[in-house]
Amino acid sequence: MREYDIVIIGGGPAGLSAAAEAKRSGTDSILILERDKELGGILNQCIHNGFGLHTFKEELTGPEYAARFIEQIKGLGIEYKLNTMVMDISRDKVITAMNREEGMFAIQAKAVILAMGCRERSRGALNIPGYRPAGIYSAGTAQRLVNREGLMPGREVVILGSGDIGLIMARRMTLEGAKVKVVAELMPYSGGLKRNIVQCLNDYGIPLKLSHTVVEIRGKERLTGVTIAQVDGKGKPIPGTKEDYDCDTLLLSVGLIPENELSRGAGVEISPVTSGPVVNESLETNIEGIFACGNVLHVHDLVDFVSEEAGAAGRNAAVYVQGKERKGSGRVIGINPAEGVRYTVPSAIRPQMMDDKLTVRFRVGNVYKNCCVSVYFDEERVLRRKRPVVAPGEMEEVKLEKEKLLAFPDLQTITVKIEEA
């Protein structure tokens, strides 16, 4: 059985960044396993710009951003296997994988970094009544067809869901000559970034209907139209609000789910809110030596944050395999999301093990205007930041300082909440 210090599952932006940082942190024995035929992950089909402003201080397309990291991997001499499917990860970090050249094989790792990304929620999860005609695609599938395969899914388009991929595909289909008739969103707020609503919908006169959903699909062989209706606070259609749209294509942009079948198989504890692993300040899961980062951990809105987070996972995995124990007690402080905050990543901190500054990322459960993001150490408020608006579509963050945490030796709980300004 081959042995590596660190094995990274996934060669997308998270896996590449984690590998590069682990190598720079002094670990040489690293292997990336990628099931696709090339490195770069989903970025290879994201040909729009807007990537890299934080990481490289310039605006890049998805393939350009991925290429920068692929160059780093090749320059650092990090080993990777393409067209390789990981079948299983055991609790003692034995990875079973297979590819065409080697068949099925096993690898023993000292540390594993989970970087498998996320997948789109399918039509089957939505229970929309109607036949199953051709012309219904997830937004990501349509993006691949248009941007990579040079194929046009259809000419008259309705989009369900206002996630970022759906918004970007509204613009892309319009630029390719299709007519995007409407974007319907079940929630009373958009699931995407504000800038994408402005640049992809408003600039092209595409209507966004909030609190609306598709209630009927028409057509047997090929989609011929859909019916959308307004929904009440419980998501149930309101009688008398139906509108019919003739179309040959329905794109679904109804949420992303972290790809965690392998994590579950390894016994990793999964958060019911994020559908990703529960991690501590080192991005380490409940199984020692298994780390998680990027969209497999929780769905990010900017790839720059994925790279930043994955870099931290790579450094921490390198520290782990090199056996550099940081001195101090094993005190664990829980982070409690409250009053508007849905979850935090990480969900627990060992102050002695953290870097001087730790970024805690979170999402809110609703749109809040003229509010404050507050952090409490037990009952004492230690941070209060005014915000004009926070929304579920945009990830928020607070920074915690090690020095401050160590000044509270009896601290039990850190609470992150939204308060009125």
Side-chain angles (χ1 to χ4, degrees):
M1 191 188 297
R2 281 163 291 181
E3 293 184 5
Y4 287 86
D5 284 348
I6 298 175
V7 175
I8 296 163
I9 318 294
L16 297 174
S17 179
E21 274 302 318
K23 179 82 172 186
R24 291 191 196 105
S25 300
T27 300
D28 290 324
S29 171
I30 300 169
L31 174 67
I32 301 171
L33 298 174
E34 169 56 53
R35 67 182 176 191
D36 211 344
K37 64 180 188 289
E38 57 196 336
L39 295 172
I42 200 72
L43 288 178
N44 292 320
Q45 68 183 48
C46 299
I47 63 170
H48 53 280
N49 59 3
F51 300 94
L53 288 167
H54 296 265
T55 310
F56 298 111
K57 303 294 182 273
E58 60 180 304
E59 202 170 32
L60 304 170
T61 64
E64 286 171 334
Y65 186 95
R68 297 266 175 112
F69 277 98
I70 293 167
E71 280 165 24
Q72 287 181 29
I73 295 300
K74 290 179 176 171
L76 290 164
I78 294 170
E79 200 181 328
Y80 58 89
K81 289 182 188 291
L82 302 176
N83 297 308
T84 300
M85 191 78 181
V86 175
M87 312 301 290
D88 181 63
I89 305 167
S90 73
R91 281 186 84 94
D92 49 4
K93 299 182 277 293
V94 173
I95 294 149
T96 307
M98 65 188 297
N99 60 32
R100 230 176 228 176
E101 290 74 35
E102 300 163 89
M104 196 171 259
F105 57 92
I107 297 166
Q108 174 70 65
K110 288 182 185 169
V112 175
I113 299 177
L114 305 171
M116 293 90 72
C118 57
R119 65 169 185 266
E120 293 179 279
R121 191 173 272 117
S122 65
R123 179 195 167 179
L126 300 178
N127 295 327
I128 305 170
Y131 287 103
R132 291 176 167 246
I136 302 173
Y137 302 89
S138 70
T141 302
Q143 186 182 53
R144 185 180 178 91
L145 288 171
V146 175
N147 293 348
R148 299 295 304 271
E149 319 289 344
L151 300 170
M152 198 61 181
R155 291 285 161 194
E156 295 190 306
V157 184
V158 169
I159 298 176
L160 174 61
S162 60
D164 288 313
I165 312 171
L167 298 175
I168 285 160
M169 281 312 292
R171 175 178 65 185
R172 189 79 186 93
M173 296 294 281
T174 303
L175 292 174
E176 286 296 333
K179 170 73 178 156
V180 179
K181 299 197 166 180
V182 68
V183 177
E185 169 57 59
L186 178 71
M187 304 303 286
Y189 48 79
S190 167
L193 294 168
K194 186 84 165 70
R195 73 177 191 204
N196 283 337
I197 296 168
V198 173
Q199 293 171 5
C200 301
L201 299 188
N202 299 357
D203 288 0
Y204 296 91
I206 298 167
L208 171 62
K209 298 206 164 193
L210 299 174
S211 299
H212 279 73
T213 191
V214 172
V215 292
E216 190 187 339
I217 287 168
R218 294 193 299 281
K220 211 164 183 182
E221 298 301 319
R222 173 83 197 196
L223 186 70
T224 59
V226 299
T227 302
I228 73 168
Q230 195 174 344
V231 296
D232 59 22
K234 291 179 179 173
K236 296 276 185 281
I238 299 169
T241 61
K242 286 184 178 178
E243 297 171 67
D244 291 337
Y245 288 88
D246 291 333
C247 61
D248 58 15
T249 306
L250 173 65
L251 300 188
L252 305 175
S253 175
V254 289
L256 299 165
I257 306 163
E259 190 82 77
N260 271 302
E261 282 68 26
L262 286 171
S263 316
R264 283 191 185 89
V268 169
E269 184 188 347
I270 302 292
S271 159
V273 182
T274 62
S275 298
V278 175
V279 294
N280 61 21
E281 78 299 321
S282 301
L283 301 175
E284 190 176 21
T285 66
N286 60 308
I287 298 177
E288 191 182 307
I290 297 186
F291 299 79
C293 58
N295 281 353
V296 81
L297 179 55
H298 58 136
V299 176
H300 294 61
D301 38 26
L302 296 181
V303 74
D304 300 73
F305 295 155
V306 167
S307 299
E308 185 188 314
E309 183 181 272
R315 284 193 300 277
N316 292 327
V319 167
Y320 172 80
V321 298
Q322 290 159 21
K324 294 177 186 168
E325 279 303 316
R326 299 182 192 184
K327 291 185 178 69
S329 68
R331 184 164 66 107
V332 179
I333 302 167
I335 304 182
N336 175 36
E339 290 168 42
V341 177
R342 291 183 63 231
Y343 69 86
T344 65
V345 170
S347 53
I349 296 175
R350 298 168 297 178
Q352 301 287 355
M353 304 291 276
M354 68 184 266
D355 294 327
D356 292 335
K357 277 194 174 167
L358 177 72
T359 302
V360 176
R361 295 201 163 93
F362 64 92
R363 283 189 193 267
V364 293
N366 213 328
V367 178
Y368 298 94
K369 295 181 177 174
N370 299 321
C371 61
C372 289
V373 174
S374 298
V375 177
Y376 286 79
F377 285 4
D378 288 335
E379 302 303 313
E380 184 180 332
R381 186 166 64 201
V382 294
L383 191 148
R384 178 178 162 90
R385 200 172 70 224
K386 284 188 86 168
R387 294 298 308 276
V389 64
V390 292
E394 311 222 4
M395 196 182 287
E396 300 291 329
E397 64 177 47
V398 292
K399 292 205 183 317
L400 299 180
E401 294 174 18
K402 183 172 186 171
E403 200 180 327
K404 257 188 185 171
L405 279 166
L406 294 176
F408 286 76
D410 300 321
L411 179 59
Q412 299 290 314
T413 308
I414 297 167
T415 303
V416 184
K417 61 168 81 168
I418 304 297
E419 296 182 319
E420 287 182 15

